[in-house]
């Protein structure tokens, strides 16, 4: 068997994070999930939603392409299953859009949960009106080419984060967080605990019960800002 046959550029199916885990993860902000995952997994801030109200959660369907060519996004739409998040390594290129209104309409009709692109898109007003969660690095009215081969459902790097097919991807107004499929379930109880702790902290601030975090003096001593026995 040839190496190309053993490792095809287009992988049609893969193991996805379980739907129940996706449903639970969708209840948490991307920031909470990034915190409990060790303050890692958040994509670079250049990749942002076209509208702050856009949010999603789902398994990653990964796409690697040559800058300015969207052939492999069309391939991704051909194999996508309802609930998938198409995550595109567009190499950060903003010289032409990789998606617009027509492909967004297609994604909605297919049940795709969202698209995350390290690259440019266009028809932003139409996509906002459609309400489809589109997260991109920028906008450009130029159209793409459709002629250069890439890879589908291989590990990619996007926004400084490694993403494997089937990983959990969550996005909202703050940006996008990726958690490895194998670790996603373990993060959910930690996320619930953090939400509870932050809710109590905010209540204590509002009631003036505690106007500064309890860890502050200890951290300042460790950093050498204040001496032992001192406090602010």
């Amino acid at each position: 068997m040839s190496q190309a046959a053993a490792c095809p550029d287009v992988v049609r199916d893969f193991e996805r994070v379980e739907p129940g885990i996706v449903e639970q993860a969708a209840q948490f902000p991307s920031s909470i999930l990034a915190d409990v995952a060790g303050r890692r997994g958040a994509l670079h801030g250049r990749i942002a939603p076209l509208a702050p109200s856009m949010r999603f959660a789902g398994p990653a369907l990964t796409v690697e392409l040559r800058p300015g060519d969207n052939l492999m996004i069309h391939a991704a739409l051909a194999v996508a299953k309802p609930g998938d998040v198409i995550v595109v390594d567009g190499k950060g290129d903003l010289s032409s859009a990789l998606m617009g209104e027509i492909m967004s309409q297609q994604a909605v009709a297919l049940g795709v949960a969202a698209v995350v692109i390290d690259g440019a898109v266009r028809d932003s007003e139409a996509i906002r009106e459609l309400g489809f969660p589109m997260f991109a690095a920028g906008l450009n009215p130029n159209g793409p080419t459709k002629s250069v081969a890439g890879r589908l459902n291989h590990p990619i790097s996007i926004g400084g984060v490694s993403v494997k097919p089937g990983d959990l991807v969550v996005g909202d107004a703050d940006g996008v967080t990726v958690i490895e499929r194998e670790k996603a379930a373990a993060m959910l109880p930690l996320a619930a605990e953090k939400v509870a702790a932050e809710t109590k902290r905010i209540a204590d601030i509002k009631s003036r019960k505690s106007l500064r975090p309890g860890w502050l003096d200890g951290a300042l001593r460790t950093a050498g800002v204040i001496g032992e026995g001192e406090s602010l």
Side-chain angles (χ1 to χ4, degrees):
M1 180 182 293
S2 69
Q3 184 176 1
C7 186
D9 287 336
V10 173
V11 177
R12 290 173 172 79
D13 204 4
F14 52 92
E15 187 173 358
R16 292 163 168 83
V17 62
E18 295 180 4
I21 294 174
V22 172
E23 184 178 358
Q24 293 180 64
Q27 302 173 22
F28 299 110
S30 61
S31 57
I32 292 289
L33 292 170
D35 279 356
V36 299
R39 288 177 167 80
R40 60 171 60 91
L43 305 193
H44 192 285
R46 68 175 177 269
I47 302 171
L50 296 190
S53 60
M54 293 177 175
R55 58 184 301 121
F56 69 86
L61 191 166
T62 60
V63 182
E64 182 185 6
L65 45 76
R66 292 290 299 274
D69 191 287
N70 74 350
L71 177 64
M72 299 312 294
I73 303 179
H74 286 279
L77 289 168
V79 303
K81 294 183 177 181
D84 282 348
V85 177
I86 296 177
V87 183
V88 183
D89 173 15
K91 314 302 181 185
D93 178 70
L94 302 181
S95 64
S96 62
L98 296 175
M99 284 187 68
E101 180 183 8
I102 293 175
M103 293 176 73
S104 296
Q105 289 280 4
Q106 182 184 359
V108 170
L110 291 168
V112 171
V115 171
V116 179
I117 295 180
D118 193 358
V121 298
R122 66 181 182 181
D123 305 328
S124 57
E125 291 185 4
I127 297 172
R128 290 188 191 100
E129 184 176 348
L130 180 62
F132 179 65
M134 176 69 74
F135 288 61
L139 302 173
N140 195 303
N142 280 336
T145 59
K146 297 174 172 60
S147 57
V148 183
R151 298 204 301 176
L152 201 62
N153 291 319
H154 286 253
I156 62 171
S157 176
I158 173 172
V161 175
S162 297
V163 186
K164 299 190 301 295
D167 282 349
L168 174 66
V169 190
V170 178
D172 53 29
D174 287 336
V176 178
T177 295
V178 178
I179 296 178
E180 297 96 320
R181 177 180 58 81
E182 300 84 356
K183 296 181 179 179
M187 296 299 105
L188 299 177
L190 300 179
E193 291 174 8
K194 186 164 180 62
V195 168
E198 291 193 357
T199 300
K200 181 180 184 303
R201 173 71 183 132
I202 291 170
D204 287 347
I205 291 171
K206 289 181 175 180
S207 68
R208 304 185 69 81
K209 180 180 178 181
S210 176
L211 293 178
R212 63 177 181 176
W215 51 261
L216 179 60
D217 284 346
L220 290 171
R221 290 189 195 101
T222 300
V225 177
I226 59 177
E228 193 64 37
E230 288 186 292
S231 64
L232 293 182

